[in-house]
Amino acid sequence: MGYAVSWFAVSGKEPEQVLQELGLTPAGETEEVPEAPIVCATLPAGWFLVFSNRTSPLAFSVEPLPALSAGCRVVFCQVEEHTMFSSAACYQDGRRVWHVAHDADKGIYHLETEGELPPEFEGIFRSMKSEQDQAGGEKADVDYIIDVPIELAKAIAGFRHDEDVAGADVEPFRVLEHTTFAAPSRPSTDPPTSRSWWRFW
């Protein structure tokens, strides 16, 4: 079984405000690894993480993220290993700053990029491309390019879905439950995406 998860991390906004805008509240339980449908955690660098562990490919949507990024920065990442798809994006002050996506259905070296990419991108891309080349390129049995968006999101926010949270408590993840959806209704200026995303609510 592969991962089918998504997460975003917020910098510059209090965790309580983030959860209020998303209509989420702590359920009073903690976890060592994120097994509940939705959890949150405070990352070592101060980013506030909201993580979705749902398996439905149609259960998540990025629509609230531009509004959530008002006055702060949000890094978003999605991983769907069943189809070897991954993406990462950054939102700030209501707009999407950059976006990177890999879809193996479009080729092992497929990588879609948009916007003002962070300086970490180039080194990550070169490293993963070299790994793919050495493994046999298009004929390889592994896909290293899927790690480009994942590693880019990690480089910014300090989190990767299949790694422990460095320096965190034994049970760093707080289980969340739904209250009422109260995200701002500010319209998104993002272009339409070609793939459905997951929805928390």
Side-chain angles (χ1 to χ4, degrees), residues 6-11 13-16 18-19 22 24-26 29-34 38-52 157-160 163-176:
S6 68
W7 60 266
F8 63 83
V10 181
S11 177
K13 184 175 286 188
E14 291 298 319
E16 293 77 10
V18 172
L19 296 181
L22 293 171
L24 298 170
T25 187
E29 304 172 33
T30 60
E31 295 183 330
E32 181 178 358
V33 294
I38 310 171
V39 300
C40 67
T42 299
L43 303 178
W47 291 76
F48 179 65
L49 172 77
V50 178
F51 180 96
S52 171
F159 178 78
R160 181 174 167 125
E163 296 179 355
D164 293 336
V165 178
D169 295 335
V170 176
E171 294 187 344
F173 299 99
R174 290 187 293 160
V175 177
L176 298 174

mmCIF file of all heavy atoms in Angstrom, residues 6-11 13-16 18-19 22 24-26 29-34 38-52 157-160 163-176:
data_model
loop_
_atom_site.group_PDB
_atom_site.id
_atom_site.type_symbol
_atom_site.label_atom_id
_atom_site.label_comp_id
_atom_site.label_asym_id
_atom_site.label_seq_id
_atom_site.Cartn_x
_atom_site.Cartn_y
_atom_site.Cartn_z
ATOM 1 N N SER A 6 -2.308 14.386 2.164
ATOM 2 C CA SER A 6 -2.021 15.776 1.840
ATOM 3 C C SER A 6 -1.847 16.545 3.133
ATOM 4 O O SER A 6 -2.337 16.134 4.193
ATOM 5 C CB SER A 6 -3.136 16.403 1.000
ATOM 6 O OG SER A 6 -4.313 16.523 1.760
ATOM 7 N N TRP A 7 -1.136 17.634 3.055
ATOM 8 C CA TRP A 7 -0.929 18.457 4.237
ATOM 9 C C TRP A 7 -0.620 19.881 3.810
ATOM 10 O O TRP A 7 -0.238 20.135 2.668
ATOM 11 C CB TRP A 7 0.213 17.908 5.101
ATOM 12 C CG TRP A 7 1.564 17.818 4.460
ATOM 13 C CD1 TRP A 7 2.102 16.737 3.827
ATOM 14 C CD2 TRP A 7 2.567 18.844 4.393
ATOM 15 N NE1 TRP A 7 3.362 17.018 3.375
ATOM 16 C CE2 TRP A 7 3.682 18.301 3.710
ATOM 17 C CE3 TRP A 7 2.632 20.162 4.855
ATOM 18 C CZ2 TRP A 7 4.843 19.040 3.471
ATOM 19 C CZ3 TRP A 7 3.786 20.910 4.610
ATOM 20 C CH2 TRP A 7 4.874 20.343 3.926
ATOM 21 N N PHE A 8 -0.819 20.802 4.748
ATOM 22 C CA PHE A 8 -0.313 22.149 4.544
ATOM 23 C C PHE A 8 0.210 22.679 5.859
ATOM 24 O O PHE A 8 -0.176 22.230 6.941
ATOM 25 C CB PHE A 8 -1.362 23.088 3.928
ATOM 26 C CG PHE A 8 -2.580 23.311 4.768
ATOM 27 C CD1 PHE A 8 -2.600 24.253 5.781
ATOM 28 C CD2 PHE A 8 -3.739 22.596 4.516
ATOM 29 C CE1 PHE A 8 -3.727 24.464 6.547
ATOM 30 C CE2 PHE A 8 -4.877 22.794 5.282
ATOM 31 C CZ PHE A 8 -4.872 23.736 6.295
ATOM 32 N N ALA A 9 1.149 23.611 5.771
ATOM 33 C CA ALA A 9 1.750 24.217 6.953
ATOM 34 C C ALA A 9 1.655 25.725 6.817
ATOM 35 O O ALA A 9 1.834 26.274 5.727
ATOM 36 C CB ALA A 9 3.202 23.773 7.108
ATOM 37 N N VAL A 10 1.364 26.375 7.934
ATOM 38 C CA VAL A 10 1.124 27.817 7.949
ATOM 39 C C VAL A 10 2.189 28.507 8.788
ATOM 40 O O VAL A 10 2.506 28.065 9.891
ATOM 41 C CB VAL A 10 -0.271 28.134 8.525
ATOM 42 C CG1 VAL A 10 -0.527 29.639 8.514
ATOM 43 C CG2 VAL A 10 -1.355 27.389 7.755
ATOM 44 N N SER A 11 2.747 29.586 8.268
ATOM 45 C CA SER A 11 3.708 30.411 9.002
ATOM 46 C C SER A 11 3.198 31.844 9.055
ATOM 47 O O SER A 11 2.857 32.419 8.014
ATOM 48 C CB SER A 11 5.078 30.376 8.310
ATOM 49 O OG SER A 11 5.994 31.228 8.959
ATOM 50 N N LYS A 13 0.628 32.897 11.266
ATOM 51 C CA LYS A 13 -0.743 32.984 11.774
ATOM 52 C C LYS A 13 -0.879 32.021 12.945
ATOM 53 O O LYS A 13 -0.369 30.906 12.890
ATOM 54 C CB LYS A 13 -1.757 32.661 10.674
ATOM 55 C CG LYS A 13 -3.210 32.826 11.081
ATOM 56 C CD LYS A 13 -4.142 32.609 9.886
ATOM 57 C CE LYS A 13 -4.116 33.788 8.923
ATOM 58 N NZ LYS A 13 -5.145 33.672 7.858
ATOM 59 N N GLU A 14 -1.561 32.425 13.995
ATOM 60 C CA GLU A 14 -1.710 31.594 15.178
ATOM 61 C C GLU A 14 -2.490 30.309 14.871
ATOM 62 O O GLU A 14 -3.472 30.345 14.107
ATOM 63 C CB GLU A 14 -2.427 32.359 16.287
ATOM 64 C CG GLU A 14 -1.611 33.497 16.885
ATOM 65 C CD GLU A 14 -0.345 32.994 17.551
ATOM 66 O OE1 GLU A 14 -0.416 31.935 18.224
ATOM 67 O OE2 GLU A 14 0.707 33.648 17.402
ATOM 68 N N PRO A 15 -2.071 29.171 15.441
ATOM 69 C CA PRO A 15 -2.775 27.908 15.186
ATOM 70 C C PRO A 15 -4.268 27.973 15.466
ATOM 71 O O PRO A 15 -5.073 27.413 14.708
ATOM 72 C CB PRO A 15 -2.079 26.924 16.140
ATOM 73 C CG PRO A 15 -0.695 27.485 16.299
ATOM 74 C CD PRO A 15 -0.877 28.979 16.268
ATOM 75 N N GLU A 16 -4.659 28.649 16.549
ATOM 76 C CA GLU A 16 -6.079 28.744 16.886
ATOM 77 C C GLU A 16 -6.869 29.426 15.774
ATOM 78 O O GLU A 16 -8.002 29.040 15.465
ATOM 79 C CB GLU A 16 -6.263 29.499 18.200
ATOM 80 C CG GLU A 16 -5.722 28.781 19.426
ATOM 81 C CD GLU A 16 -4.203 28.862 19.553
ATOM 82 O OE1 GLU A 16 -3.578 29.639 18.781
ATOM 83 O OE2 GLU A 16 -3.647 28.169 20.405
ATOM 84 N N VAL A 18 -5.993 29.512 12.560
ATOM 85 C CA VAL A 18 -6.016 28.600 11.416
ATOM 86 C C VAL A 18 -7.155 27.594 11.564
ATOM 87 O O VAL A 18 -7.960 27.397 10.646
ATOM 88 C CB VAL A 18 -4.674 27.855 11.280
ATOM 89 C CG1 VAL A 18 -4.765 26.765 10.211
ATOM 90 C CG2 VAL A 18 -3.549 28.828 10.946
ATOM 91 N N LEU A 19 -7.255 26.973 12.729
ATOM 92 C CA LEU A 19 -8.295 25.973 12.948
ATOM 93 C C LEU A 19 -9.687 26.594 12.909
ATOM 94 O O LEU A 19 -10.630 25.993 12.372
ATOM 95 C CB LEU A 19 -8.067 25.266 14.287
ATOM 96 C CG LEU A 19 -6.783 24.442 14.401
ATOM 97 C CD1 LEU A 19 -6.697 23.774 15.770
ATOM 98 C CD2 LEU A 19 -6.688 23.408 13.288
ATOM 99 N N LEU A 22 -10.772 27.096 9.385
ATOM 100 C CA LEU A 22 -11.042 25.835 8.697
ATOM 101 C C LEU A 22 -12.222 25.074 9.288
ATOM 102 O O LEU A 22 -12.625 24.048 8.749
ATOM 103 C CB LEU A 22 -9.794 24.944 8.737
ATOM 104 C CG LEU A 22 -8.591 25.447 7.940
ATOM 105 C CD1 LEU A 22 -7.372 24.595 8.240
ATOM 106 C CD2 LEU A 22 -8.884 25.460 6.455
ATOM 107 N N LEU A 24 -12.222 23.577 12.290
ATOM 108 C CA LEU A 24 -11.685 22.391 12.956
ATOM 109 C C LEU A 24 -11.366 22.726 14.411
ATOM 110 O O LEU A 24 -11.098 23.874 14.746
ATOM 111 C CB LEU A 24 -10.407 21.923 12.252
ATOM 112 C CG LEU A 24 -10.548 21.483 10.796
ATOM 113 C CD1 LEU A 24 -9.175 21.293 10.159
ATOM 114 C CD2 LEU A 24 -11.362 20.195 10.706
ATOM 115 N N THR A 25 -11.379 21.688 15.271
ATOM 116 C CA THR A 25 -11.059 21.879 16.682
ATOM 117 C C THR A 25 -10.374 20.626 17.208
ATOM 118 O O THR A 25 -10.666 19.512 16.743
ATOM 119 C CB THR A 25 -12.335 22.172 17.504
ATOM 120 O OG1 THR A 25 -11.978 22.518 18.836
ATOM 121 C CG2 THR A 25 -13.267 20.986 17.521
ATOM 122 N N PRO A 26 -9.441 20.744 18.163
ATOM 123 C CA PRO A 26 -8.803 19.558 18.747
ATOM 124 C C PRO A 26 -9.815 18.642 19.416
ATOM 125 O O PRO A 26 -10.715 19.097 20.125
ATOM 126 C CB PRO A 26 -7.821 20.143 19.757
ATOM 127 C CG PRO A 26 -7.536 21.522 19.253
ATOM 128 C CD PRO A 26 -8.833 21.993 18.664
ATOM 129 N N GLU A 29 -7.226 14.178 21.724
ATOM 130 C CA GLU A 29 -6.399 12.990 21.593
ATOM 131 C C GLU A 29 -5.116 13.342 20.851
ATOM 132 O O GLU A 29 -5.089 14.267 20.041
ATOM 133 C CB GLU A 29 -7.143 11.885 20.833
ATOM 134 C CG GLU A 29 -8.472 11.491 21.434
ATOM 135 C CD GLU A 29 -9.238 10.543 20.518
ATOM 136 O OE1 GLU A 29 -8.602 9.747 19.819
ATOM 137 O OE2 GLU A 29 -10.481 10.646 20.486
ATOM 138 N N THR A 30 -4.047 12.587 21.127
ATOM 139 C CA THR A 30 -2.784 12.772 20.429
ATOM 140 C C THR A 30 -2.319 11.449 19.831
ATOM 141 O O THR A 30 -2.750 10.370 20.266
ATOM 142 C CB THR A 30 -1.690 13.319 21.369
ATOM 143 O OG1 THR A 30 -1.490 12.399 22.444
ATOM 144 C CG2 THR A 30 -2.070 14.690 21.912
ATOM 145 N N GLU A 31 -1.429 11.540 18.846
ATOM 146 C CA GLU A 31 -0.932 10.352 18.171
ATOM 147 C C GLU A 31 0.574 10.473 17.920
ATOM 148 O O GLU A 31 1.083 11.566 17.693
ATOM 149 C CB GLU A 31 -1.635 10.149 16.833
ATOM 150 C CG GLU A 31 -3.117 9.861 16.930
ATOM 151 C CD GLU A 31 -3.754 9.607 15.579
ATOM 152 O OE1 GLU A 31 -3.260 10.171 14.574
ATOM 153 O OE2 GLU A 31 -4.733 8.854 15.522
ATOM 154 N N GLU A 32 1.247 9.310 17.917
ATOM 155 C CA GLU A 32 2.665 9.275 17.592
ATOM 156 C C GLU A 32 2.876 9.426 16.098
ATOM 157 O O GLU A 32 3.804 10.087 15.643
ATOM 158 C CB GLU A 32 3.277 7.963 18.073
ATOM 159 C CG GLU A 32 4.770 7.848 17.801
ATOM 160 C CD GLU A 32 5.355 6.561 18.342
ATOM 161 O OE1 GLU A 32 4.614 5.771 18.968
ATOM 162 O OE2 GLU A 32 6.572 6.330 18.122
ATOM 163 N N VAL A 33 2.000 8.785 15.319
ATOM 164 C CA VAL A 33 1.990 8.925 13.865
ATOM 165 C C VAL A 33 0.586 9.335 13.457
ATOM 166 O O VAL A 33 -0.389 8.991 14.132
ATOM 167 C CB VAL A 33 2.402 7.615 13.154
ATOM 168 C CG1 VAL A 33 3.849 7.275 13.457
ATOM 169 C CG2 VAL A 33 1.480 6.464 13.540
ATOM 170 N N PRO A 34 0.436 10.074 12.366
ATOM 171 C CA PRO A 34 -0.889 10.577 11.986
ATOM 172 C C PRO A 34 -1.763 9.503 11.363
ATOM 173 O O PRO A 34 -1.728 9.257 10.164
ATOM 174 C CB PRO A 34 -0.562 11.690 10.979
ATOM 175 C CG PRO A 34 0.752 11.292 10.391
ATOM 176 C CD PRO A 34 1.501 10.593 11.487
ATOM 177 N N ILE A 38 -7.758 13.565 10.258
ATOM 178 C CA ILE A 38 -7.172 14.907 10.237
ATOM 179 C C ILE A 38 -6.442 15.141 11.556
ATOM 180 O O ILE A 38 -7.009 14.908 12.631
ATOM 181 C CB ILE A 38 -8.231 16.005 10.053
ATOM 182 C CG1 ILE A 38 -9.146 15.702 8.880
ATOM 183 C CG2 ILE A 38 -7.564 17.368 9.844
ATOM 184 C CD1 ILE A 38 -10.328 16.623 8.768
ATOM 185 N N VAL A 39 -5.205 15.605 11.471
ATOM 186 C CA VAL A 39 -4.433 15.916 12.669
ATOM 187 C C VAL A 39 -3.694 17.228 12.455
ATOM 188 O O VAL A 39 -3.608 17.737 11.333
ATOM 189 C CB VAL A 39 -3.409 14.804 13.001
ATOM 190 C CG1 VAL A 39 -4.112 13.474 13.251
ATOM 191 C CG2 VAL A 39 -2.362 14.672 11.899
ATOM 192 N N CYS A 40 -3.135 17.764 13.529
ATOM 193 C CA CYS A 40 -2.307 18.959 13.421
ATOM 194 C C CYS A 40 -1.087 18.798 14.310
ATOM 195 O O CYS A 40 -1.054 17.935 15.197
ATOM 196 C CB CYS A 40 -3.089 20.219 13.794
ATOM 197 S SG CYS A 40 -3.559 20.323 15.540
ATOM 198 N N ALA A 41 -0.072 19.614 14.076
ATOM 199 C CA ALA A 41 1.144 19.576 14.879
ATOM 200 C C ALA A 41 1.884 20.888 14.684
ATOM 201 O O ALA A 41 1.771 21.532 13.638
ATOM 202 C CB ALA A 41 2.031 18.398 14.482
ATOM 203 N N THR A 42 2.666 21.259 15.683
ATOM 204 C CA THR A 42 3.546 22.409 15.565
ATOM 205 C C THR A 42 4.929 21.901 15.192
ATOM 206 O O THR A 42 5.512 21.082 15.918
ATOM 207 C CB THR A 42 3.619 23.200 16.879
ATOM 208 O OG1 THR A 42 2.294 23.674 17.196
ATOM 209 C CG2 THR A 42 4.548 24.394 16.741
ATOM 210 N N LEU A 43 5.456 22.343 14.065
ATOM 211 C CA LEU A 43 6.749 21.881 13.578
ATOM 212 C C LEU A 43 7.878 22.657 14.243
ATOM 213 O O LEU A 43 7.672 23.777 14.733
ATOM 214 C CB LEU A 43 6.806 22.025 12.060
ATOM 215 C CG LEU A 43 5.702 21.287 11.291
ATOM 216 C CD1 LEU A 43 5.835 21.536 9.792
ATOM 217 C CD2 LEU A 43 5.735 19.791 11.592
ATOM 218 N N PRO A 44 9.093 22.082 14.287
ATOM 219 C CA PRO A 44 10.205 22.720 14.995
ATOM 220 C C PRO A 44 10.504 24.147 14.567
ATOM 221 O O PRO A 44 10.860 24.983 15.398
ATOM 222 C CB PRO A 44 11.384 21.790 14.677
ATOM 223 C CG PRO A 44 10.758 20.456 14.448
ATOM 224 C CD PRO A 44 9.454 20.751 13.776
ATOM 225 N N ALA A 45 10.356 24.438 13.289
ATOM 226 C CA ALA A 45 10.677 25.785 12.802
ATOM 227 C C ALA A 45 9.545 26.778 13.039
ATOM 228 O O ALA A 45 9.641 27.934 12.614
ATOM 229 C CB ALA A 45 11.018 25.738 11.312
ATOM 230 N N GLY A 46 8.469 26.344 13.710
ATOM 231 C CA GLY A 46 7.374 27.249 14.029
ATOM 232 C C GLY A 46 6.187 27.167 13.085
ATOM 233 O O GLY A 46 5.169 27.810 13.330
ATOM 234 N N TRP A 47 6.297 26.381 12.015
ATOM 235 C CA TRP A 47 5.158 26.200 11.114
ATOM 236 C C TRP A 47 4.086 25.381 11.824
ATOM 237 O O TRP A 47 4.385 24.493 12.616
ATOM 238 C CB TRP A 47 5.585 25.479 9.843
ATOM 239 C CG TRP A 47 6.471 26.269 8.929
ATOM 240 C CD1 TRP A 47 7.803 26.519 9.094
ATOM 241 C CD2 TRP A 47 6.094 26.906 7.711
ATOM 242 N NE1 TRP A 47 8.275 27.275 8.050
ATOM 243 C CE2 TRP A 47 7.255 27.523 7.188
ATOM 244 C CE3 TRP A 47 4.890 27.009 7.009
ATOM 245 C CZ2 TRP A 47 7.240 28.240 5.991
ATOM 246 C CZ3 TRP A 47 4.884 27.719 5.822
ATOM 247 C CH2 TRP A 47 6.038 28.326 5.327
ATOM 248 N N PHE A 48 2.824 25.672 11.495
ATOM 249 C CA PHE A 48 1.699 24.919 12.047
ATOM 250 C C PHE A 48 1.159 24.002 10.967
ATOM 251 O O PHE A 48 0.722 24.452 9.908
ATOM 252 C CB PHE A 48 0.604 25.852 12.546
ATOM 253 C CG PHE A 48 -0.589 25.127 13.108
ATOM 254 C CD1 PHE A 48 -0.468 24.347 14.252
ATOM 255 C CD2 PHE A 48 -1.827 25.229 12.496
ATOM 256 C CE1 PHE A 48 -1.562 23.679 14.771
ATOM 257 C CE2 PHE A 48 -2.929 24.564 13.009
ATOM 258 C CZ PHE A 48 -2.795 23.780 14.154
ATOM 259 N N LEU A 49 1.177 22.694 11.230
ATOM 260 C CA LEU A 49 0.830 21.669 10.245
ATOM 261 C C LEU A 49 -0.607 21.194 10.411
ATOM 262 O O LEU A 49 -1.050 20.924 11.529
ATOM 263 C CB LEU A 49 1.779 20.478 10.408
ATOM 264 C CG LEU A 49 1.464 19.227 9.593
ATOM 265 C CD1 LEU A 49 1.881 19.423 8.139
ATOM 266 C CD2 LEU A 49 2.171 18.009 10.193
ATOM 267 N N VAL A 50 -1.316 21.068 9.303
ATOM 268 C CA VAL A 50 -2.613 20.385 9.264
ATOM 269 C C VAL A 50 -2.485 19.280 8.224
ATOM 270 O O VAL A 50 -2.157 19.531 7.064
ATOM 271 C CB VAL A 50 -3.762 21.346 8.904
ATOM 272 C CG1 VAL A 50 -5.081 20.581 8.817
ATOM 273 C CG2 VAL A 50 -3.865 22.462 9.934
ATOM 274 N N PHE A 51 -2.733 18.043 8.645
ATOM 275 C CA PHE A 51 -2.437 16.848 7.849
ATOM 276 C C PHE A 51 -3.706 16.030 7.643
ATOM 277 O O PHE A 51 -4.431 15.744 8.596
ATOM 278 C CB PHE A 51 -1.385 16.022 8.587
ATOM 279 C CG PHE A 51 -0.975 14.746 7.906
ATOM 280 C CD1 PHE A 51 0.151 14.714 7.104
ATOM 281 C CD2 PHE A 51 -1.702 13.581 8.094
ATOM 282 C CE1 PHE A 51 0.549 13.527 6.490
ATOM 283 C CE2 PHE A 51 -1.323 12.398 7.481
ATOM 284 C CZ PHE A 51 -0.192 12.375 6.679
ATOM 285 N N SER A 52 -3.967 15.648 6.393
ATOM 286 C CA SER A 52 -5.123 14.820 6.069
ATOM 287 C C SER A 52 -4.648 13.429 5.676
ATOM 288 O O SER A 52 -3.803 13.269 4.791
ATOM 289 C CB SER A 52 -5.926 15.432 4.919
ATOM 290 O OG SER A 52 -6.924 14.516 4.485
ATOM 291 N N ALA A 157 9.029 24.015 4.789
ATOM 292 C CA ALA A 157 8.265 23.912 6.043
ATOM 293 C C ALA A 157 8.855 22.940 7.055
ATOM 294 O O ALA A 157 8.453 22.941 8.217
ATOM 295 C CB ALA A 157 6.821 23.520 5.745
ATOM 296 N N GLY A 158 9.779 22.063 6.625
ATOM 297 C CA GLY A 158 10.410 21.141 7.548
ATOM 298 C C GLY A 158 9.613 19.897 7.852
ATOM 299 O O GLY A 158 9.793 19.285 8.907
ATOM 300 N N PHE A 159 8.726 19.465 6.936
ATOM 301 C CA PHE A 159 7.913 18.267 7.183
ATOM 302 C C PHE A 159 7.863 17.401 5.932
ATOM 303 O O PHE A 159 7.775 17.906 4.808
ATOM 304 C CB PHE A 159 6.487 18.648 7.591
ATOM 305 C CG PHE A 159 5.584 17.462 7.805
ATOM 306 C CD1 PHE A 159 5.660 16.723 8.977
ATOM 307 C CD2 PHE A 159 4.675 17.083 6.833
ATOM 308 C CE1 PHE A 159 4.833 15.622 9.175
ATOM 309 C CE2 PHE A 159 3.846 15.988 7.016
ATOM 310 C CZ PHE A 159 3.924 15.258 8.196
ATOM 311 N N ARG A 160 7.941 16.088 6.163
ATOM 312 C CA ARG A 160 7.730 15.107 5.098
ATOM 313 C C ARG A 160 6.832 14.011 5.664
ATOM 314 O O ARG A 160 7.032 13.545 6.789
ATOM 315 C CB ARG A 160 9.057 14.541 4.610
ATOM 316 C CG ARG A 160 8.890 13.536 3.476
ATOM 317 C CD ARG A 160 10.193 13.077 2.889
ATOM 318 N NE ARG A 160 9.949 11.917 2.057
ATOM 319 C CZ ARG A 160 10.300 11.806 0.781
ATOM 320 N NH1 ARG A 160 10.955 12.795 0.186
ATOM 321 N NH2 ARG A 160 10.026 10.716 0.092
ATOM 322 N N GLU A 163 8.367 10.713 7.284
ATOM 323 C CA GLU A 163 9.474 10.870 8.220
ATOM 324 C C GLU A 163 8.959 11.379 9.563
ATOM 325 O O GLU A 163 7.929 12.060 9.633
ATOM 326 C CB GLU A 163 10.519 11.849 7.673
ATOM 327 C CG GLU A 163 11.204 11.378 6.396
ATOM 328 C CD GLU A 163 12.209 12.393 5.875
ATOM 329 O OE1 GLU A 163 12.310 13.502 6.451
ATOM 330 O OE2 GLU A 163 12.879 12.084 4.880
ATOM 331 N N ASP A 164 9.691 11.058 10.623
ATOM 332 C CA ASP A 164 9.342 11.578 11.945
ATOM 333 C C ASP A 164 9.548 13.092 11.987
ATOM 334 O O ASP A 164 10.372 13.636 11.240
ATOM 335 C CB ASP A 164 10.211 10.931 13.022
ATOM 336 C CG ASP A 164 9.918 9.450 13.196
ATOM 337 O OD1 ASP A 164 8.794 9.026 12.860
ATOM 338 O OD2 ASP A 164 10.815 8.721 13.660
ATOM 339 N N VAL A 165 8.808 13.756 12.853
ATOM 340 C CA VAL A 165 8.999 15.183 13.071
ATOM 341 C C VAL A 165 10.209 15.363 13.975
ATOM 342 O O VAL A 165 10.198 14.945 15.138
ATOM 343 C CB VAL A 165 7.752 15.827 13.704
ATOM 344 C CG1 VAL A 165 7.992 17.307 13.961
ATOM 345 C CG2 VAL A 165 6.532 15.636 12.798
ATOM 346 N N ALA A 166 11.269 15.962 13.430
ATOM 347 C CA ALA A 166 12.518 16.086 14.177
ATOM 348 C C ALA A 166 12.325 16.895 15.458
ATOM 349 O O ALA A 166 11.723 17.971 15.443
ATOM 350 C CB ALA A 166 13.582 16.747 13.298
ATOM 351 N N GLY A 167 12.813 16.358 16.569
ATOM 352 C CA GLY A 167 12.782 17.074 17.829
ATOM 353 C C GLY A 167 11.419 17.201 18.468
ATOM 354 O O GLY A 167 11.263 17.944 19.450
ATOM 355 N N ALA A 168 10.422 16.490 17.959
ATOM 356 C CA ALA A 168 9.056 16.627 18.474
ATOM 357 C C ALA A 168 8.831 15.716 19.674
ATOM 358 O O ALA A 168 9.646 14.841 19.983
ATOM 359 C CB ALA A 168 8.044 16.314 17.377
ATOM 360 N N ASP A 169 7.715 15.908 20.354
ATOM 361 C CA ASP A 169 7.317 15.047 21.454
ATOM 362 C C ASP A 169 7.016 13.642 20.937
ATOM 363 O O ASP A 169 6.917 13.416 19.723
ATOM 364 C CB ASP A 169 6.077 15.610 22.150
ATOM 365 C CG ASP A 169 6.349 16.953 22.822
ATOM 366 O OD1 ASP A 169 7.529 17.203 23.166
ATOM 367 O OD2 ASP A 169 5.390 17.731 22.975
ATOM 368 N N VAL A 170 6.815 12.705 21.882
ATOM 369 C CA VAL A 170 6.523 11.322 21.505
ATOM 370 C C VAL A 170 5.247 11.241 20.679
ATOM 371 O O VAL A 170 5.157 10.472 19.716
ATOM 372 C CB VAL A 170 6.407 10.437 22.765
ATOM 373 C CG1 VAL A 170 6.009 9.015 22.384
ATOM 374 C CG2 VAL A 170 7.729 10.424 23.520
ATOM 375 N N GLU A 171 4.238 12.023 21.040
ATOM 376 C CA GLU A 171 2.974 12.051 20.295
ATOM 377 C C GLU A 171 2.705 13.496 19.852
ATOM 378 O O GLU A 171 1.925 14.214 20.476
ATOM 379 C CB GLU A 171 1.828 11.515 21.146
ATOM 380 C CG GLU A 171 1.968 10.042 21.488
ATOM 381 C CD GLU A 171 0.740 9.478 22.186
ATOM 382 O OE1 GLU A 171 -0.085 10.277 22.682
ATOM 383 O OE2 GLU A 171 0.612 8.239 22.236
ATOM 384 N N PRO A 172 3.334 13.920 18.760
ATOM 385 C CA PRO A 172 3.249 15.328 18.371
ATOM 386 C C PRO A 172 1.970 15.716 17.638
ATOM 387 O O PRO A 172 1.679 16.904 17.496
ATOM 388 C CB PRO A 172 4.444 15.490 17.435
ATOM 389 C CG PRO A 172 4.619 14.133 16.825
ATOM 390 C CD PRO A 172 4.255 13.162 17.905
ATOM 391 N N PHE A 173 1.194 14.715 17.189
ATOM 392 C CA PHE A 173 0.022 15.011 16.364
ATOM 393 C C PHE A 173 -1.249 15.056 17.211
ATOM 394 O O PHE A 173 -1.548 14.115 17.956
ATOM 395 C CB PHE A 173 -0.138 13.969 15.256
ATOM 396 C CG PHE A 173 1.028 13.920 14.312
ATOM 397 C CD1 PHE A 173 2.014 12.954 14.462
ATOM 398 C CD2 PHE A 173 1.146 14.856 13.295
ATOM 399 C CE1 PHE A 173 3.094 12.906 13.595
ATOM 400 C CE2 PHE A 173 2.229 14.821 12.429
ATOM 401 C CZ PHE A 173 3.214 13.842 12.584
ATOM 402 N N ARG A 174 -1.991 16.157 17.098
ATOM 403 C CA ARG A 174 -3.263 16.305 17.794
ATOM 404 C C ARG A 174 -4.406 15.979 16.840
ATOM 405 O O ARG A 174 -4.478 16.530 15.734
ATOM 406 C CB ARG A 174 -3.431 17.729 18.320
ATOM 407 C CG ARG A 174 -2.491 18.073 19.467
ATOM 408 C CD ARG A 174 -2.843 19.440 20.045
ATOM 409 N NE ARG A 174 -2.584 20.514 19.091
ATOM 410 C CZ ARG A 174 -3.130 21.720 19.164
ATOM 411 N NH1 ARG A 174 -4.000 22.007 20.114
ATOM 412 N NH2 ARG A 174 -2.804 22.649 18.285
ATOM 413 N N VAL A 175 -5.275 15.085 17.242
ATOM 414 C CA VAL A 175 -6.417 14.701 16.418
ATOM 415 C C VAL A 175 -7.403 15.862 16.354
ATOM 416 O O VAL A 175 -7.689 16.510 17.369
ATOM 417 C CB VAL A 175 -7.104 13.445 16.990
ATOM 418 C CG1 VAL A 175 -8.339 13.089 16.163
ATOM 419 C CG2 VAL A 175 -6.123 12.283 17.033
ATOM 420 N N LEU A 176 -7.925 16.114 15.155
ATOM 421 C CA LEU A 176 -8.881 17.202 14.944
ATOM 422 C C LEU A 176 -10.246 16.650 14.585
ATOM 423 O O LEU A 176 -10.375 15.553 14.028
ATOM 424 C CB LEU A 176 -8.392 18.123 13.823
ATOM 425 C CG LEU A 176 -7.062 18.840 14.048
ATOM 426 C CD1 LEU A 176 -6.653 19.600 12.796
ATOM 427 C CD2 LEU A 176 -7.140 19.781 15.244
#
